[in-house]
Amino acid sequence: MTPPPPSGLPDPVTLFCCLAPPGYYRRPLFSERELFCGPDCPTVEDGDGFSSLNTPFGEYDLPAVVARLPAHQRPELIVVKADATRRNLPRGLDRLPGTKLLLVGDTHHFASPLRTLLSYGAMEDFDAVMLDHTRQHAHLFLEAGFDRVYWIPAVDYGLRRRDIPADPPIPLTFVGQIGTFHPWRRHVLDRLTAAGLPLLGMRGEPERAADVYAASQVTLNVSLNGDLNLRVFEALGAGGFLLTDALSPEAGLERCFTPGRHLVTYRSPDELVDLARHYLDHPDQAMAIRRAGQAHLLEFHSPQVKRAQFFAAVFDDRVDPALEVRGERRGLAPRPARSLGFRRRLAAYEALQRLQLTASRLTVHAGGDADGFAADLRLMAQDLPRVDFAAPGDAAGPVALPLPPSAERVRDDAVTLLPWPDRAGTDRRMSRLPGASVLCPTVSAQDHAAAAAHLAGWGFVPTEPGGILFQCADALRYAGRSLSDPVPAEALDPDLRRARLAALEPMLRTAEQMAGVARLAARFGETALAERFLLRAVGLDRQQPDALAGLARLCAAGGRPVEAAIYLNEARRAARFAGIADPAPDLDAGAVAAAAGSHPSLERYHALFRQATAPSTGRPRRILVVTNLFPPQEFGGYGRKLWEFSAELIRRGHTVKVLTADMPALARPGMAGTEDIEGHVDRSLTLYGYWKDGRAFIHDDRAHCAALIRANIRRVLETARDFRADACLVGNLDMLATEFLDPLTRQIGVPVLHCLGNQHPGYAPEAAPRSPLYRAGPASGWVAERLAAGGYGLPATVIHPGARVDYFHRAAMPATDRLRIAFASLFVNYKGPQTLVNALGILHREGIDFDCTFAGEAPDADLAARCRDFVERQGMAGKVHFSGFLDRRGLSGLFARCNVLVFPSVFQEPFGISQVEAMAAGLTVIGSGTGGSGEVLRDGVDGLLFKAEDHEALAGCLRRLIGDRAGWLRMALSGRDRARDFTVARSVDRIEAVFEELIARKR
């Protein structure tokens, strides 16, 4: 050992293996000849040696680190600061000379903090163990067999002294973290804010924090979990007046400072409010305390004093009597750190410590205690200030449901010690849990596996692998088991049973869970609760056959036959969608309908599903349909429109032949319904181009394109003659041909209705057909206006694309508990998905709950990738889903689970059929209203409109819905009625009328 420096303190070459960068610590910390190493340390050379060395995270070989040092820097003292993060665990200390000290870091939070540090300390065989802010845990190191255990409070803090101002300008401050690990701290500070006190919370570097302490009339401190933290020393050193929480005697606060003289302590948030008000109103009293506190710290807790205390303990085994901890065994006999009994009790203590983080008061219910486990645990837990043990025999009143602790909310809680392996006793306690958690100490891995399996039947799982703390992971399972398991003499009373069922509601997220609870309620005769849960299930998914059938039964039994008839029909529709058996074979549809009679609302409902069996004009016709694409080969929605029209014409008794191209690459598998009319389809036309990444391309060989056009014209005219067509319904002719329109009407005399999906019919104004047998059928009034403005001068009849309202309609309205948003269009820039993604980012940052599904192909792969990346970076991956293309069945299922459709199109939409389909399903549509799409929605009546590409306005519309749920429901109901104006049947009525008019003109 080298001679001591003039100060009289030892000055060994010291290697500090630390948990923070060197700049965080005061200098010198332990010695004038010290260097730092650790995962957060940079490697810095200093003259003929190093001032710091970087090491790997976690475990690393310390002799290899020391080997890099020059001879004069080989350590005589090694100090290792470690905690449960396991970020800094140097190994191989036994291969190095000198004194080795374990400086214990945080042991009052994290997973298995004490077990981690005790195991590490035992493996490395340290000469001594020192604690700096968790004195209450010193006894555990002693009981684990460590001989030399010391407590030097705040041994490594940094003094930043400030002069005390005569009139501090800031009333009330808290400097520090208020994050995931600090729920109790948030709870306390929120209480101050709610009381109207001028609390200023901030974070800052140590120098800035010291300035704030000095400038504050009152500085607050809230320990993380009953620990004597560094803020006490830092605030007093800077001359602050400190209001800090009272700790257990074992924590050592009152061994360092006298409350009321050096600082002030509080024992509850309410007391803190009163004290803060008092000292803000009495600054002279606060000033006297802050001066005494700073003077006391400078005399008894200065860095020089800490160094002296440190070396006296480490090298001479001498400690101030006020700092002595070696009598802190709490009556527990020493045990090896790895012994099973010790580790079981330690695991239980750590569980209580963890639960205290989120508890304003934690009560332990132990019941009988045959092996003394609870008694030992009580001794160990006496340093946890918010933990109480219920007296033996105290009844633990059961709660509605064991809700696990939440970092978002602090509450009174309770934990139950189970008498495992007594299964019957365990089940009795489980059925009447007074709180959220249970402790199940086991004696072997096999025993733990058996206990875990048994508790899984109650819906409980361990909080860590092999752990003894269990919490509820499946409230539905717990409710079912607790309501049905007890023997009759111990059965739960009806009020508690009802409360347990009702308490499930806010916890359930899916329709299946809601329906499961409804079955449980029905089993116990709780009809009102069963109906409530069934309505919630249907609100979350309107295609839930079992839930709909359950509502039909309840309505039939309750004398509500009209509702019963509608729910029964909806249940059977949903079953057909799902391809499953009748969910209500016990209900006679005829009897239910007879009981309902001819109620107007029932008649209006049934009118949606009545299919025409004859032409509305009274005469069947032979109708040729010509279009470039036809489902299941599809790009966009043109072909789907012609498919719907063709299918409806066939249902009405017309003879239909569809002439189209064959583009197998565009086939969309699973497009339900297309196979029903495939026998009417001739795919013998050939396109002279193709689509790629959402864009159209024409073949390079112009002569070949011209030959294909001629062949297509010839094929259309031949088919019209051979089919003996009475009329021709024409769709999109892109990359097909338009030149057949004139000869078809003039030479063959076939009337043509040309359904135009946009303002570009495929020919120039001067080439427009002028035959009196040609009629344009624009998809909207806007398209008709654009054609007129473009100089086409065509006679026109608006033919809306038409929606299968009968297919998408849902009698039940969606739940409005949270935003469940759908986007149903191509994932390309002009359809505006990026606008919706940006709006979702705003809602997410505001903490608004939502779920969003983007349904549609992504021809623009780059745009899709950018949107996905944005979603990931914003932390929205759990809320935003990309389903890809959905056929009509899939889209119907999506709409049955959503309550909003966003239609954010950027370009001038010809119409926007998905808006009508969503409205029919009860969704509220929020659209940009571009082009013809604006003719569907009436702003504030059927839905909401916003300016295209304005994502902030879109976010405002979504925010408006959840701010006015009654208005949201009114718009959704109005939209569902509005959808009836745009049915396929109404469009086909117009088509038939136009054909009859043109056929009459031909004659």
Side-chain angles (χ1 to χ4, degrees):
M1 185 74 63
T2 56
S7 64
L9 293 178
D11 190 34
V13 178
T14 303
L15 176 62
F16 182 32
C17 305
C18 52
L19 281 168
Y24 176 83
Y25 300 98
R26 69 170 188 265
R27 305 298 288 270
L29 182 56
F30 300 116
S31 163
E32 297 286 351
R33 299 189 299 159
E34 63 191 4
L35 65 149
F36 293 73
C37 73
D40 293 324
C41 294
T43 295
V44 178
E45 294 192 41
D46 184 11
D48 57 351
F50 296 88
S51 61
S52 72
L53 284 170
N54 181 252
T55 69
F57 285 85
E59 295 189 4
Y60 56 90
D61 186 62
L62 190 60
V65 175
V66 171
R68 299 174 59 187
L69 300 172
H72 70 276
Q73 282 195 308
R74 297 296 169 89
E76 299 164 312
L77 170 66
I78 297 173
V79 180
V80 175
K81 186 154 190 178
D83 65 13
T85 62
R86 305 185 64 85
R87 295 175 64 252
N88 182 50
L89 298 178
R91 302 299 306 274
L93 275 73
D94 60 325
R95 305 200 310 270
L96 294 171
T99 303
K100 293 92 161 181
L101 173 81
L102 173 61
L103 183 57
V104 176
D106 290 348
T107 53
H108 54 297
H109 67 125
F110 296 126
S112 307
L114 286 157
R115 283 174 287 169
T116 297
L117 268 294
L118 288 167
S119 295
Y120 171 66
M123 285 189 293
E124 288 303 317
D125 195 23
F126 285 94
D127 297 297
V129 174
M130 184 173 289
L131 301 98
D132 62 347
H133 62 290
T134 52
R135 179 187 184 280
Q136 67 270 27
H137 295 154
H139 75 100
L140 293 167
F141 287 87
L142 292 165
E143 290 153 14
F146 292 88
D147 294 326
R148 297 179 61 195
V149 179
Y150 306 104
W151 171 56
I152 307 296
V155 67
D156 54 356
Y157 91 104
L159 173 65
R160 294 168 177 85
R161 180 179 179 178
R162 299 290 187 270
D163 293 332
I164 299 174
D167 188 15
I170 310 174
L172 183 65
T173 61
F174 174 81
V175 182
Q177 300 183 52
I178 312 174
T180 303
F181 296 119
H182 308 83
W184 172 248
R185 184 176 288 169
R186 287 203 312 273
H187 173 75
V188 172
L189 297 181
D190 287 347
R191 177 70 183 85
L192 286 164
T193 303
L197 287 164
L199 176 63
L200 176 64
M202 65 183 72
R203 295 182 64 178
E205 295 299 319
E207 293 293 338
R208 168 62 178 151
D211 293 338
V212 173
Y213 298 144
S216 302
Q217 295 176 43
V218 178
T219 291
L220 297 180
N221 182 42
V222 187
S223 67
L224 172 59
N225 207 10
D227 55 297
L228 177 56
N229 59 28
L230 295 183
R231 191 178 293 103
V232 171
F233 297 85
E234 292 166 347
L236 294 180
F241 169 71
L242 185 66
L243 257 177
T244 188
D245 49 330
L247 306 179
S248 68
E250 294 79 11
L253 172 65
E254 295 187 21
R255 290 172 175 258
C256 299
F257 305 100
T258 302
R261 183 177 178 186
H262 305 131
L263 44 72
V264 176
T265 59
Y266 61 88
R267 296 186 177 278
S268 71
D270 288 340
E271 186 182 10
L272 172 60
V273 170
D274 292 340
L275 288 170
R277 283 177 174 153
H278 174 83
Y279 286 104
L280 287 173
D281 292 341
H282 298 83
D284 53 332
Q285 295 180 20
M287 183 62 71
I289 293 173
R290 71 194 299 161
R291 285 173 176 161
Q294 185 182 50
H296 181 80
L297 180 130
L298 294 176
E299 181 176 359
F300 295 98
H301 298 284
S302 69
Q304 292 79 7
V305 169
K306 295 300 169 187
R307 285 182 66 195
Q309 292 171 338
F310 175 83
F311 284 119
V314 172
F315 292 128
D316 298 331
D317 194 25
R318 288 187 297 106
V319 294
D320 186 313
L323 306 183
E324 183 61 72
V325 295
R326 281 175 281 193
E328 293 284 318
R329 296 186 186 275
R330 302 193 191 176
L332 299 173
R335 303 174 180 89
R338 292 188 176 89
S339 74
L340 179 60
F342 182 74
R343 292 185 67 81
R344 287 170 68 217
R345 286 164 174 77
L346 190 56
Y349 172 84
E350 288 177 327
L352 298 184
Q353 184 175 250
R354 171 178 172 174
L355 292 171
Q356 182 182 243
L357 282 168
T358 55
S360 50
R361 180 64 57 191
L362 179 67
T363 303
V364 182
H365 294 272
D369 185 24
D371 64 352
F373 185 92
D376 279 0
L377 183 58
R378 183 194 294 263
L379 284 171
M380 293 175 72
Q382 64 191 34
D383 56 72
L384 299 174
R386 297 191 301 279
V387 173
D388 292 326
F389 280 73
D394 279 3
V399 297
L401 277 180
L403 303 179
S406 167
E408 302 303 317
R409 186 170 65 90
V410 170
R411 65 169 189 257
D412 282 358
D413 204 354
V415 59
T416 300
L417 184 62
L418 298 178
W420 188 264
D422 176 2
R423 294 178 183 243
T426 292
D427 287 344
R428 279 193 297 274
R429 291 193 190 175
M430 289 299 296
S431 68
R432 283 170 169 70
L433 287 180
S437 311
V438 297
L439 288 171
C440 187
T442 52
V443 297
S444 67
Q446 183 178 4
D447 195 30
H448 180 273
H454 188 78
L455 293 176
W458 286 91
F460 275 64
V461 297
T463 57
E464 61 181 7
I468 68 171
L469 176 64
F470 289 74
Q471 290 177 334
C472 187
D474 187 341
L476 178 56
R477 176 171 292 190
Y478 177 82
R481 181 78 179 267
S482 69
L483 291 171
S484 58
D485 247 30
V487 297
E490 298 174 328
L492 298 177
D493 64 78
D495 289 342
L496 179 58
R497 185 175 62 202
R498 197 173 299 116
R500 283 201 170 169
L501 287 166
L504 284 167
E505 189 168 3
M507 302 173 61
L508 306 179
R509 303 288 285 182
T510 69
E512 292 80 3
Q513 290 174 331
M514 292 287 181
V517 177
R519 287 191 294 271
L520 195 60
R523 194 171 87 199
F524 290 106
E526 300 289 349
T527 305
L529 278 175
E531 182 169 353
R532 190 165 94 197
F533 281 113
L534 287 173
L535 287 171
R536 287 291 309 277
V538 170
L540 294 176
D541 185 354
R542 272 82 52 69
Q543 285 187 184
Q544 263 280 326
D546 290 341
L548 290 162
L551 286 170
R553 291 187 187 94
L554 288 176
C555 291
R560 293 142 60 195
V562 173
E563 292 175 72
I566 292 175
Y567 281 129
L568 179 58
N569 193 60
E570 290 290 288
R572 288 174 175 164
R573 286 180 66 212
R576 288 194 294 274
F577 276 118
I580 63 175
D582 181 0
D586 54 314
L587 290 179
D588 184 339
V592 173
S598 56
H599 194 279
S601 62
L602 188 57
E603 282 297 309
R604 179 172 169 78
Y605 172 77
H606 282 308
L608 276 170
F609 307 103
R610 293 195 184 105
Q611 299 290 341
T613 57
S616 59
T617 54
R619 238 185 121 171
R621 299 293 185 181
R622 299 179 66 80
I623 300 172
L624 176 65
V625 178
V626 180
T627 187
N628 59 353
L629 294 175
F630 196 79
Q633 299 174 9
E634 182 65 287
F635 183 82
Y638 291 108
R640 185 174 66 173
K641 173 174 69 173
L642 271 292
W643 163 45
E644 294 284 16
F645 290 165
S646 300
E648 179 68 14
L649 289 167
I650 292 170
R651 280 193 294 270
R652 295 186 181 196
H654 298 287
T655 303
V656 174
K657 185 179 186 67
V658 179
L659 186 60
T660 187
D662 191 15
M663 296 288 286
L666 296 179
R668 301 294 173 261
M671 290 189 70
T674 57
E675 65 278 0
D676 298 342
I677 63 171
E678 187 62 26
H680 299 262
V681 181
D682 178 348
R683 300 183 185 274
S684 59
L685 300 178
T686 306
L687 303 185
Y688 56 84
Y690 56 94
W691 287 270
K692 182 179 180 181
D693 297 333
R695 298 172 55 200
F697 295 88
I698 295 173
H699 297 312
D700 295 335
D701 188 337
R702 299 297 177 177
H704 178 60
C705 291
L708 292 177
I709 291 172
R710 290 193 297 272
N712 287 335
I713 295 169
R714 185 166 55 251
R715 180 64 182 146
V716 172
L717 297 178
E718 288 173 353
T719 302
R721 289 192 189 96
D722 296 343
F723 181 60
R724 303 189 311 281
D726 294 319
C728 183
L729 182 65
V730 175
N732 193 322
L733 300 179
D734 290 350
M735 294 186 283
L736 188 62
T738 59
E739 292 83 353
F740 68 84
L741 295 171
D742 202 56
L744 185 60
T745 53
R746 293 184 180 277
Q747 297 175 20
I748 305 179
V750 177
V752 170
L753 173 59
H754 191 174
C755 292
L756 297 175
N758 59 47
Q759 57 186 310
H760 306 292
Y763 46 74
E766 60 273 15
R770 299 302 173 187
S771 167
L773 299 184
Y774 179 84
R775 179 73 58 85
S780 61
W782 178 84
V783 173
E785 292 170 2
R786 300 306 301 162
L787 289 170
Y792 284 93
L794 296 169
T797 300
V798 172
I799 306 293
H800 294 127
R804 284 293 303 276
V805 173
D806 60 316
Y807 190 91
F808 286 93
H809 176 85
R810 297 288 171 262
M813 297 301 289
T816 56
D817 55 325
R818 61 196 285 264
L819 292 166
R820 288 188 297 279
I821 305 162
F823 170 91
S825 192
L826 289 173
F827 212 99
V828 289
N829 188 277
Y830 61 83
K831 288 292 187 178
Q834 67 280 4
T835 305
L836 175 54
V837 168
N838 286 327
L840 295 178
I842 294 175
L843 298 186
H844 180 66
R845 289 190 292 274
E846 292 176 354
I848 294 174
D849 192 17
F850 66 85
D851 186 84
C852 182
T853 299
F854 285 85
E857 274 188 287
D860 189 338
D862 182 60
L863 174 64
R866 292 200 309 273
C867 288
R868 287 175 187 268
D869 180 64
F870 178 83
V871 166
E872 289 282 349
R873 284 187 286 105
Q874 294 295 312
M876 299 190 295
K879 297 180 175 181
V880 181
H881 318 283
F882 299 87
S883 70
F885 170 78
L886 293 179
D887 67 358
R888 188 171 67 179
R889 184 189 298 273
L891 201 58
S892 175
L894 174 64
F895 287 171
R897 298 186 298 274
C898 293
N899 51 25
V900 176
L901 175 81
V902 173
F903 192 81
S905 192
V906 173
F907 90 118
Q908 299 298 313
E909 286 280 354
F911 184 69
I913 190 65
S914 62
Q915 296 180 110
V916 181
E917 294 168 341
M919 291 160 73
L923 280 68
T924 303
V925 176
I926 300 177
S928 55
T930 60
S933 71
E935 297 172 26
V936 178
L937 290 182
R938 295 170 295 185
D939 188 31
V941 179
D942 312 306
L944 296 173
L945 294 174
F946 69 97
K947 184 180 178 182
E949 298 188 88
D950 188 342
H951 61 272
E952 291 184 349
L954 172 54
C957 289
L958 291 164
R959 203 184 292 114
R960 174 178 167 182
L961 293 184
I962 58 175
D964 180 12
R965 284 182 165 81
W968 183 1
L969 179 59
R970 283 195 300 272
M971 282 189 286
L973 288 167
S974 177
R976 190 175 63 175
D977 284 343
R978 173 76 166 163
R980 292 171 179 258
D981 296 338
F982 302 101
T983 63
V984 169
R986 287 201 175 196
S987 294
V988 173
D989 286 346
R990 288 192 173 192
I991 291 170
E992 287 181 317
V994 169
F995 280 157
E996 291 305 311
E997 178 190 341
L998 294 180
I999 289 170
R1001 181 175 296 175
K1002 173 184 174 181
R1003 289 196 297 268

